[in-house]
Amino acid sequence: VPVVITGSAVLTCLGNGESTFAALLRGVTGVGPLRGADASKLSVTHGYHVDDRLGGERFLASRMLTSCLREAITQSALDVASRRVVVIVGTGLRELGAVESGLPMAVQQLHFGSAARAAVPAAAEVLTISNACSAGGHALALAQDLVESGAADAVIAAGTDSMTTSMLAMIGRVTDVPTEQVRPFDADRTGVLLGEGAAAVVIESEPGSARPLARLLSTGLSCDAGHETAPDPAGIRRAALDALDRSGRGAAEVDLVVAHGTGTALNDPVEAGLIGDVLASGGPGPLITAVKGAVGHTSGGSALLNVDVAMRCMAAGMVPPIVGLRRPLDEGAGLRFVTGRPEPAAVRVAQVNAFGFGGVNSVTVLGAPR
Amino acid sequence: VSPQAAVTGWSVLSPASHGTAAHGTAAHGTAGHGEEPLPRPAGHSIGDFDIRRRLGRKGTGFFDRATGLGVIACGQAIEDSGISVGNVPSDRIGVVLGTTVGSLKSTMEFSAETLIQDRPYLVNPGLFPNTVLNCVAGQAAIWYGLKGVNATVAGGPLAMLNVLRYATRVLARGYADVLLAGVVEEFTAHAAWAAHLSGHPPAGEGAAVFVLERPEAARAAGRGVDAELLAVTTGFGRDVNGCVREVIAKAGLDSAEAGPLARAAAERQELLKLESGDCQAASGGLELAALLARQRDGQAADGALSLLTARTREGGCGAAVLRGCSRAGGYHGQRRADVPG
């Protein structure tokens, strides 16, 4: 029984899924001045903030999550009450932002049990998993296991992260000059910036009333067990090959990669090398797009945001350009980065990458609905 | 109903037995606890257990007792299965071990050092790995070069069932081909006092490791099978009898089987506690090993069904049902060489 995605919702600095994708097609970036932290002390001047319609900034990650879960369930028409539904929330920083405010909070508010149950009161289980920037990919992998093994009827895989001062201070320390915009795969990239955001996808073994958005074919996971921050080509290659192997699709069948593309010195050449090596060694290779120039690095939500974008590419027959990319890096020579304007394409198979600090990697393969 | 996993080798280290020998072949002792006072004069510990004599001096300097027990049991189990690392690719062999809190002694001593030592708290960093739960599984993987799935499941008395449940899923989903699935609990003065001061039964110790494979793959590779795991479940806030009914149904067995099997399991658990103390995470593994020893010695019929059950004080519970397999032309009445402590 194929596992399908029947609902998907995202929230970024560019709005919901529909408006985010529309902005991506127009090549718009949502970057702006950093809010809620002292830029001069952090060496970080810019960020990708969500519209403050959610009211107040404390527990932003929780509130974005609740909002995305509600929207994804509505789209899927999932009957939560009569089915065993598990919610898995992937996150990098949990609610550490709320801790940093110094105001009292209960320890369980660090996780997303109550935020998830606000949207899905009848959930059989809510799990928060913390796997850095590939947390959303880990949530997808677990979700597919739970549905395919029959342990759950449906799983909502979600991801959410706001910003924390400690994380901002960390990214400020790794660049010489403050970054003004994320430029994925650009020769002149200057580093990463954080983006507030959340995403949720509904995964079921049998499509409900809603038309499936995509088939969830596979997710390959790996752990480098190497460096704290530097990506290991061998480690991410293992995840990519495992994902392809499980998907039953050949490398040449992949039409699109929605790349991790953080715009950092180390990620982009390694990722470009991986795509060239695994997917483009026997032919022209897939189209490549990436969203972090437009919406920043949404950490826990980033893998699922990329999934949403990949599914919209399948539906629209159109791949948005990489916002921020002007001159591709040398390591990407010969690769088909989408730049400048959207590229029409029939996307049957898409790959989504997410790599996290600590060397935790996830690569997901999606198929277009029949 | 097709079985979820096959046991193709195993080993146990307990106060009552070693390797695959029948129960009651080893001696109790209190060795290894030095001059530390114990709450009672004798402990349910493995007599004359010396890590370095078993594994050599090199690389074992920082091993605590739990690590030594786990690493040795893993080695004996894989040897018993006849699998050689390399014939099965090392990244397809994993380790899944159950525990309660890891090594209580290592954790408490390391914590104490941070309070006792002068600033800047010159604790020995080499001892830190012993304080984390996954120390044993990690060291076993390093010792034998096993690069597959490596997981540690904390479950107290429920640990063996948690491990079986986790392991069957790993096998079913194709994340590994061979798993060393087991449990470890060490006897130390710390564990003895913790049990005593909490009003629990006297502490015991043991390690039991089982080689699990997908049944069809194990038979295709020509390996002997000691038992098949038919079904396993664990839960929280449930009744153990409900877990038993669930696994009996999942295994496609007559519900009338449940009563006698559950009574046999309860009797076995009482006896084990008397003989080996409260082995916490290791208890389910020692129980399974005792069953397999009877099977290997030809005392149990081919196809004999057994039930494992467990509950925790906090409300966790679980059950598993296994079917024993006699090894054709194999080990009937013939014991494998005992390896002395």
Side-chain angles (χ1 to χ4, degrees):
Chain A
V1 182
V3 178
V4 293
I5 297 176
T6 56
S8 177
V10 310
L11 194 60
T12 74
C13 59
L14 296 171
N16 66 9
E18 191 180 349
S19 55
T20 297
F21 192 69
L24 289 171
L25 290 176
R26 293 197 308 275
V28 170
T29 176
V31 74
L34 187 69
R35 293 202 307 243
D38 187 340
S40 65
K41 287 183 182 163
L42 293 169
S43 188
V44 180
T45 56
H46 289 74
Y48 295 80
H49 293 280
V50 291
D51 195 342
D52 205 10
R53 282 169 306 188
L54 287 161
E57 291 194 359
R58 202 162 182 244
F59 296 108
L60 177 63
S62 294
R63 278 180 284 113
M64 293 189 299
L65 172 68
T66 305
S67 162
C68 284
L69 288 172
R70 285 198 175 117
E71 191 186 326
I73 290 166
T74 302
Q75 184 184 17
S76 70
L78 177 67
D79 180 3
V80 179
S82 71
R83 306 182 75 192
R84 285 171 305 157
V85 177
V86 174
V87 181
I88 303 173
V89 185
T91 181
L93 300 168
R94 302 176 286 164
E95 273 291 3
L96 281 176
V99 176
E100 286 179 348
S101 73
L103 298 169
M105 63 185 282
V107 71
Q108 64 267 27
Q109 286 179 289
L110 257 175
H111 299 161
F112 298 104
S114 53
R117 288 197 185 277
V120 202
E125 205 160 1
V126 178
L127 304 169
T128 300
I129 60 166
S130 187
N131 292 75
C133 300
S134 62
H138 282 74
L140 274 177
L142 282 171
Q144 190 176 352
D145 276 355
L146 286 169
V147 172
E148 286 188 353
S149 67
D153 294 326
V155 178
I156 310 174
T160 188
D161 265 303
S162 57
M163 293 184 195
T164 67
T165 310
S166 48
M167 187 67 188
L168 287 167
M170 198 282 291
I171 66 162
R173 286 288 296 276
V174 297
T175 48
D176 304 330
V177 222
T179 301
E180 291 180 354
Q181 190 195 339
V182 180
R183 300 191 178 281
F185 302 107
D186 196 279
D188 306 311
R189 65 197 181 279
T190 53
V192 75
L193 291 171
L194 300 186
E196 295 165 344
V201 298
V202 178
I203 291 141
E204 302 177 68
S205 59
E206 294 166 354
S209 55
R211 189 176 155 275
L213 303 170
R215 278 173 292 156
L216 178 58
L217 297 176
S218 63
T219 296
L221 301 179
S222 69
C223 178
D224 296 344
H227 194 268
E228 293 89 336
T229 56
D232 174 9
I236 66 174
R237 188 186 156 88
R238 268 192 293 136
L241 292 178
D242 185 45
L244 271 182
D245 189 36
R246 288 173 187 283
S247 75
R249 300 294 188 276
E253 292 178 75
V254 177
D255 303 305
L256 170 69
V257 175
V258 184
H260 189 53
T262 54
T264 55
L266 292 178
N267 176 84
D268 291 8
V270 167
E271 189 174 13
L274 170 83
I275 295 167
D277 181 28
V278 175
L279 299 177
S281 58
L287 292 174
I288 302 166
T289 191
V291 304
K292 289 182 178 63
V295 300
H297 194 343
T298 53
S299 191
S302 64
L304 300 168
L305 171 60
N306 283 352
V307 165
D308 187 271
V309 168
M311 293 191 300
R312 287 179 192 279
C313 291
M314 289 172 176
M318 194 71 83
V319 178
I322 302 176
V323 176
L325 174 56
R326 293 174 300 201
R327 188 165 67 87
L329 72 182
D330 292 343
E331 294 86 347
L335 295 182
R336 299 169 66 206
F337 297 111
V338 182
T339 55
R341 73 179 81 81
E343 180 125 349
V347 178
R348 303 297 305 164
V349 178
Q351 176 182 310
V352 164
N353 293 344
F355 312 127
F357 278 171
V360 284
N361 312 304
S362 75
V363 175
T364 296
V365 181
L366 301 168
R370 285 179 218 279
Chain B
V1 178
S2 57
Q4 302 190 4
V7 181
T8 58
W10 55 281
S11 177
V12 62
L13 295 166
S14 85
S17 51
H18 282 303
T20 56
H23 213 64
T25 53
H28 276 63
T30 51
H33 313 299
E35 299 304 307
E36 294 168 288
L38 295 169
R40 53 208 326 239
H44 288 294
S45 68
I46 299 166
D48 194 22
F49 176 72
D50 186 333
I51 295 170
R52 285 175 197 172
R53 206 168 69 224
R54 304 286 287 270
L55 294 173
R57 301 189 73 82
K58 190 162 181 284
T60 57
F62 288 136
F63 278 17
D64 55 28
R65 198 171 167 90
T67 306
L69 288 167
V71 170
I72 291 166
C74 280
Q76 290 181 347
I78 199 148
E79 191 184 337
D80 184 54
S81 73
I83 289 170
S84 65
V85 181
N87 282 353
V88 177
S90 61
D91 62 354
R92 300 298 297 167
I93 308 176
V95 182
V96 182
L97 294 181
T99 180
T100 304
V101 293
S103 171
L104 188 64
K105 175 183 161 82
S106 296
T107 309
M108 291 177 83
E109 286 184 346
F110 195 83
S111 302
E113 289 284 291
T114 66
L115 301 170
I116 293 165
Q117 295 288 342
D118 291 335
R119 284 172 188 274
Y121 310 116
L122 297 168
V123 296
N124 184 347
L127 291 173
F128 178 73
N130 292 348
T131 69
V132 294
L133 289 186
N134 67 346
C135 179
V136 187
Q139 293 289 9
I142 294 167
W143 198 264
Y144 301 109
L146 311 176
K147 295 180 183 167
V149 170
N150 195 281
T152 298
V153 189
L158 201 56
M160 189 67 229
L161 293 172
N162 283 336
V163 164
L164 289 176
R165 182 171 178 235
Y166 185 92
T168 54
R169 289 192 167 170
V170 167
L171 291 173
R173 300 293 294 154
Y175 296 127
D177 294 331
V178 173
L179 289 175
L180 301 181
V183 282
V184 185
E185 203 73 75
E186 65 176 13
F187 181 94
T188 61
H190 300 71
W193 281 106
H196 179 72
L197 294 172
S198 307
H200 297 158
E205 76 175 340
V209 174
F210 308 90
V211 179
L212 300 184
E213 302 178 67
R214 283 180 287 277
E216 65 283 10
R219 293 205 162 90
R223 278 191 272 284
V225 174
D226 291 307
E228 293 167 326
L229 178 62
L230 300 182
V232 57
T233 190
T234 61
F236 196 82
R238 291 174 61 191
D239 170 23
V240 171
N241 293 329
C243 294
V244 170
R245 282 193 297 273
E246 184 188 327
V247 292
I248 292 286
K250 271 187 187 165
L253 301 173
D254 188 335
S255 59
E257 302 267 15
L261 288 175
R263 278 192 292 282
E267 280 171 25
R268 216 169 41 229
Q269 287 164 12
E270 280 307 308
L271 185 67
L272 196 73
K273 201 159 278 187
L274 284 175
E275 283 183 350
S276 300
D278 181 1
C279 295
Q280 300 192 71
S283 37
L286 300 192
E287 210 188 321
L288 178 52
L291 286 168
L292 295 184
R294 281 175 52 80
Q295 196 78 43
R296 184 88 53 105
D297 280 352
Q299 295 175 46
D302 184 47
L305 295 169
S306 311
L307 195 64
L308 294 175
T309 60
R311 58 164 67 90
T312 70
R313 295 180 187 93
E314 297 78 20
C317 60
V321 59
L322 293 110
R323 181 168 58 207
C325 308
S326 299
R327 288 193 172 199
Y331 304 99
H332 297 272
Q334 171 199 337
R335 288 182 185 157
R336 314 294 305 273
D338 290 1
V339 186

